Amino acid sequence: MAEKGVRIEVEGPVAIMTVSRPEKLNAFDIDMLKALASACDTVEANADIRVAILTGEGKGFSAGGDIKAWGGMSANEFGHQWVRFGHRVFDRLATLRMPLIAAMNGHALGGGLELAGAADIRIAESQIRIGMPETSLGMVPGWSGTQRLVKRFGAQIVRRMVLGGEIFSAAEALQNGLTDMVVETGTVVSAAKEYAARIATRGPAALEISKLMLAVANGEDNGAAVEALGSILVAKTGDLKEGVAAFSEKRAAHFTGEW
């Protein structure tokens, strides 16, 4: 199945989402952001999917935001239609219920690294480069480069990329915790599938709840994660069943504290 700009393939319990705009090194425009949000909804709605993989078509993982897509925007349009909307889409990706693996088949710069940063596991091919070059254009990271990336990678390494403009090789990225594994060129999707198969053998409910708990521990999405955990717990109680039944039968509920 496919959305404009994002292709979805399902192999058993694994969904592979491929960002598909190879002529632009998979740089994002508004349509691609919308397609990514829709792809997240599609993958999450499939109860059989336990792990997702995100990769790019062609030689690039993602070159980030397409300058032509935002270069002519007014300040108000840029802040709301581009930055805030893109932020919401990447947040949606980061909060998928299932573990997400970024299969980084090409360079991940700026928004491309923010995209990879939304994943739980990052596997990179040996030839790629990683960095945050926004300040060289007179702009700042806008899709959680100074927020999520700091929480996940640490402030100092992000400072080196954002303030110093440092670009890291795959080996340097691995050494600095920006990626979790480096593999040979052309093998990252197969490596990601192998890792996904490993995850898929584990309890799906435990994986989902563990991901929420890790998000809380890391200071990410605390409110939604805590409420989701609480709601999952309460949904399994006898008291909730009694409350719903009482409402339907138009009578007073008789709660017993049954878990």
Side-chain angles (χ1 to χ4, degrees):
M1 63 191 79
E3 297 284 349
K4 183 181 178 182
V6 180
R7 186 172 66 253
I8 304 171
E9 301 165 89
V10 178
E11 299 181 4
V14 180
I16 304 164
M17 298 187 290
T18 303
V19 180
S20 180
R21 199 185 180 204
E23 72 280 5
K24 293 286 187 178
L25 293 176
N26 302 319
F28 277 80
D29 58 12
I30 292 293
D31 285 341
M32 281 186 66
L33 288 171
K34 291 178 179 178
L36 181 59
S38 180
C40 287
D41 291 341
T42 298
V43 168
E44 195 155 69
N46 187 336
D48 294 328
I49 295 174
R50 298 187 179 186
V51 193
I53 294 171
L54 178 69
T55 193
E57 183 175 346
K59 296 181 178 180
F61 177 69
S62 175
D66 185 350
I67 295 176
K68 290 184 178 180
W70 57 262
M73 291 182 174
S74 68
N76 185 60
E77 291 171 336
F78 181 68
H80 290 84
Q81 296 177 24
W82 183 254
V83 174
R84 293 191 68 181
F85 178 61
H87 211 290
R88 290 197 299 272
V89 173
F90 280 31
D91 284 348
R92 179 73 183 90
L93 183 68
T95 55
L96 280 173
R97 64 170 173 80
M98 71 283 292
L100 175 66
I101 302 169
M104 301 164 70
N105 57 305
H107 300 336
L109 301 170
L113 181 53
E114 291 167 322
L115 180 70
D120 299 291
I121 303 292
R122 279 161 293 281
I123 304 175
E125 292 189 352
S126 59
Q127 82 284 0
I128 77 165
R129 297 291 183 269
I130 289 173
M132 299 290 290
E134 286 91 339
T135 53
S136 68
L137 298 173
M139 64 180 295
V140 298
W143 292 341
S144 210
T146 62
Q147 304 302 307
R148 181 177 298 112
L149 297 194
V150 168
K151 290 184 175 73
R152 296 197 171 185
F153 303 144
Q156 193 57 32
I157 194 66
V158 177
R159 283 191 181 97
R160 290 172 61 185
M161 291 187 289
V162 174
L163 304 181
E166 292 189 49
I167 304 294
F168 296 108
S169 67
E172 291 169 332
L174 179 64
Q175 183 179 8
N176 286 287
L178 296 169
T179 63
D180 301 294
M181 188 186 309
V182 175
V183 298
E184 294 181 5
T185 299
T187 67
V188 73
V189 173
S190 60
K193 288 180 180 179
E194 183 177 340
Y195 202 97
R198 175 181 181 175
I199 293 174
T201 63
R202 310 175 85 80
L207 288 171
E208 181 176 353
I209 291 173
S210 293
K211 182 170 176 173
L212 286 169
M213 292 167 67
L214 288 165
V216 172
N218 209 37
E220 300 178 41
D221 197 35
N222 283 355
V226 168
E227 290 186 353
L229 286 169
S231 296
I232 291 168
L233 177 61
V234 168
K236 297 180 179 296
T237 65
D239 274 356
L240 178 62
K241 294 181 179 65
E242 167 60 16
V244 171
F247 177 83
S248 299
E249 296 166 10
K250 298 181 179 180
R251 60 173 175 80
H254 300 288
F255 296 120
T256 65
E258 180 186 348
W259 286 80

